[in-house]
């Protein structure tokens, strides 16, 4: 059996106020063609389908159009979608009856019966092959909130993590009761595993303090493959090749400019994992950092003026992050950068500024309560200028600040 594992689409995401529907559509078109070319039997989408719990109508149309096309082009395809922490469980599940009629099963939350007992059996889904016979079982668990998991005795540990482990154990028990020889068991989850590498600037912590991080041992040896979502960089967990994040399919921040995004092809045979193969996603829109490391403004302007880019439609033009090292304030910084880019087919998304200020220790920066009480506004201005630029504030800056502080200014 062949499955494709993807996650963290974040449909509807904008990058510094630029819409990204074009990039997402390019990815979805590529994924459709890849599913057909690879003759996949299933597609596992491990959460964060949308960037927001209240996605736009356009983003929802993009998802449902893709699901319909996938089923039309591969009538035997198993489509399993679980919710991530960005998704609204109810909104994602709302069209579930219609989607299920067309081969897509959606799990947004942990189902309970009228007495409040968890209906574990509804989290265990059969995956069928081309013949229609069951070839694998999927533990389809969405992002789990504390209210979703069983309440168990903590025994000194974290009851939330213990509840997650217990829910996976119960789901595995259900799958093993149904599983016949030669059928594999795969698991899905949207979570942060211990030692998982995060992508800077693009990921939202699930729980503050790191208490949500799960150990790799939560997935028992009977699970042939664990398809995870939440972390945006593809990686295995705990050096175990069968527990994987596939990562996001497009770069969600400038921190990912040099990272190659992917989906994972999972080949199962005889109930066991045979091979995991990355399938690299073509990048429809480049993300550029100019210069590669922060530089003085004059050097940056010269590099921007020399920048040569091919003509493209606006939606395909690269996003640009300009990185400037300042030794003094530059009130006209943006206008000077925009002038250097005039006529160039690029979209200025971000200006990142830094300074070469000398580092100040905590002891040097600390002030007593008496000292704080005696500080005047211009004293604070001088200290902040020194910390940011590593030099004394020039007289014209002090004069402008004093004018700003005048009553009625």
């Amino acid at each position: 059996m062949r499955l494709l594992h993807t996650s963290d689409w974040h449909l509807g995401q904008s990058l510094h106020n630029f819409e990204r529907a074009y990039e997402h559509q390019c990815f979805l078109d590529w994924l459709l063609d890849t599913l057909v070319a690879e003759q996949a039997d299933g597609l596992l989408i491990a959460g964060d389908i949308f960037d927001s719990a209240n996605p736009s109508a356009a983003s929802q149309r993009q998802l449902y159009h893709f699901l319909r096309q996938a089923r039309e082009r591969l009538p035997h395809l198993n489509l399993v979608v679980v919710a991530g922490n960005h998704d609204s469980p109810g909104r994602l599940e709302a069209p579930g009856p219609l989607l299920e009629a067309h081969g897509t099963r959606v799990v947004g939350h942990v189902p309970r019966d009228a007495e409040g007992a968890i209906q574990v059996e509804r989290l265990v889904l059969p995956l069928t092959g081309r013949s229609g016979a069951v070839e694998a079982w999927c533990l389809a668990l969405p992002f789990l909130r504390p209210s979703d998991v069983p309440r168990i005795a903590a025994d000194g540990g974290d009851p939330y993590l213990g509840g997650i482990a217990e829910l996976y154990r119960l789901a595995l028990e259900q799958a093993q009761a149904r599983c016949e020889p030669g059928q594999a068991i795969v698991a899905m989850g949207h979570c942060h595993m211990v030692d998982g590498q995060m992508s800077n600037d693009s990921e939202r912590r699930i729980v503050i303090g790191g208490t949500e991080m799960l150990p790799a041992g939560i997935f028992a040896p009977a699970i042939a493959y664990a398809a995870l979502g939440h972390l945006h960089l593809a990686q295995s967990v705990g050096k175990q090749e069968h527990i994987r994040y596939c990562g996001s399919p497009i770069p969600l921040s400038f921190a990912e400019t040099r990272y190659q995004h992917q989906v994972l092809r999972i080949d199962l045979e005889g109930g066991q994992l045979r091979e995991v193969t990355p399938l690299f996603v073509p990048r429809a829109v480049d993300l550029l950092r100019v210069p590669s490391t922060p530089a003085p403004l004059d050097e940056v302007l010269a590099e921007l003026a020399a920048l040569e880019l091919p003509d493209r439609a606006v939606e395909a033009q690269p996003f640009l992050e300009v990185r400037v090292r300042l030794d003094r304030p530059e009130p006209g910084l943006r206008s000077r950068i925009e002038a250097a880019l005039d006529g160039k087919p690029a979209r200025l998304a971000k200006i990142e500024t830094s300074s070469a200020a000398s580092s100040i220790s905590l002891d040097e920066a600390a002030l007593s309560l008496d000292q704080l009480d005696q500080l005047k506004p211009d004293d604070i201005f001088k200290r902040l200028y020194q910390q940011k630029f590593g030099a004394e504030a020039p007289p014209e800056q002090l004069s402008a600040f004093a004018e700003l502080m005048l009553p009625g200014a």
Side-chain angles (χ1 to χ4, degrees), residues 44 101 171 261 291 355 406:
L44 309 180
H261 293 75
S355 64
L406 288 173

Side-chain angles (χ1 to χ4, degrees), residues 354-375:
S354 59
S355 64
S358 57
S359 60
I360 298 175
S361 69
L362 290 176
D363 289 339
E364 292 173 318
L367 294 172
S368 69
L369 290 176
D370 287 340
Q371 287 173 315
L372 284 171
D373 189 51
Q374 294 171 16
L375 280 179

Side-chain angles (χ1 to χ4, degrees), residues 118-148:
I118 294 175
Q119 297 176 302
V120 179
E121 68 280 1
R122 291 176 57 188
L123 299 172
V124 180
L125 307 178
L127 302 178
T128 55
R130 291 168 187 254
S131 66
V134 174
E135 295 190 9
W137 294 89
C138 178
L139 316 184
L141 273 67
F143 168 63
L144 299 171
R145 295 170 173 82
S147 60
D148 292 324

Side-chain angles (χ1 to χ4, degrees), residues 193-194 214-216 228 235-241 243-245:
M193 304 297 292
V194 170
L214 305 175
L228 303 180
Q235 56 196 283
S236 58
V237 174
K239 299 181 180 179
Q240 300 189 59
E241 294 302 306
I243 306 175
R244 294 283 196 116
Y245 289 99

Side-chain angles (χ1 to χ4, degrees), residues 195-346:
D195 296 328
Q197 182 185 358
M198 296 184 71
S199 172
N200 294 335
D201 304 327
S202 76
E203 289 172 355
R204 179 188 302 169
R205 291 202 67 93
I206 296 179
V207 178
I208 301 299
T211 59
E212 81 284 6
M213 295 184 186
L214 305 175
I218 204 167
F219 298 109
I223 294 174
Y225 181 78
L228 303 180
H230 178 58
L231 299 185
H232 296 167
L233 302 180
Q235 56 196 283
S236 58
V237 174
K239 299 181 180 179
Q240 300 189 59
E241 294 302 306
H242 72 293
I243 306 175
R244 294 283 196 116
Y245 289 99
C246 58
S248 59
I250 69 171
L252 298 174
S253 79
F254 281 96
E256 301 169 30
T257 52
R258 298 189 179 186
Y259 167 75
Q260 196 163 13
H261 293 75
Q262 58 194 258
V263 300
L264 296 175
R265 187 182 71 202
I266 314 306
D267 288 313
L268 303 168
E269 186 173 4
Q272 301 295 319
L273 176 66
R274 187 180 74 199
E275 187 177 18
V276 179
T277 306
L279 305 175
F280 297 110
V281 181
R283 186 167 294 183
V285 174
D286 289 329
L287 272 68
L288 305 178
R289 279 178 153 172
V290 179
S292 56
T293 57
L297 180 57
D298 288 343
E299 293 181 24
V300 172
L301 294 175
E303 189 165 339
L304 291 175
L307 194 63
E308 294 187 4
L309 298 168
D311 286 332
R312 292 186 177 97
V314 173
E315 66 271 15
Q317 290 177 1
F319 296 115
L320 181 62
E321 178 188 77
V322 177
R323 314 174 82 189
V324 187
R325 190 174 71 243
L326 299 175
D327 57 8
R328 64 180 184 276
E330 288 285 350
L333 178 63
R334 186 174 188 91
S335 61
R336 295 183 69 182
I337 289 173
E338 288 175 342
L341 288 170
D342 187 39
K344 297 184 183 296

Side-chain angles (χ1 to χ4, degrees), residues 30-45:
W30 172 86
L31 182 57
L32 280 171
D33 291 340
T34 301
L35 285 165
V36 174
E38 297 290 339
Q39 286 298 288
D41 300 301
L43 177 67
L44 309 180
I45 309 175

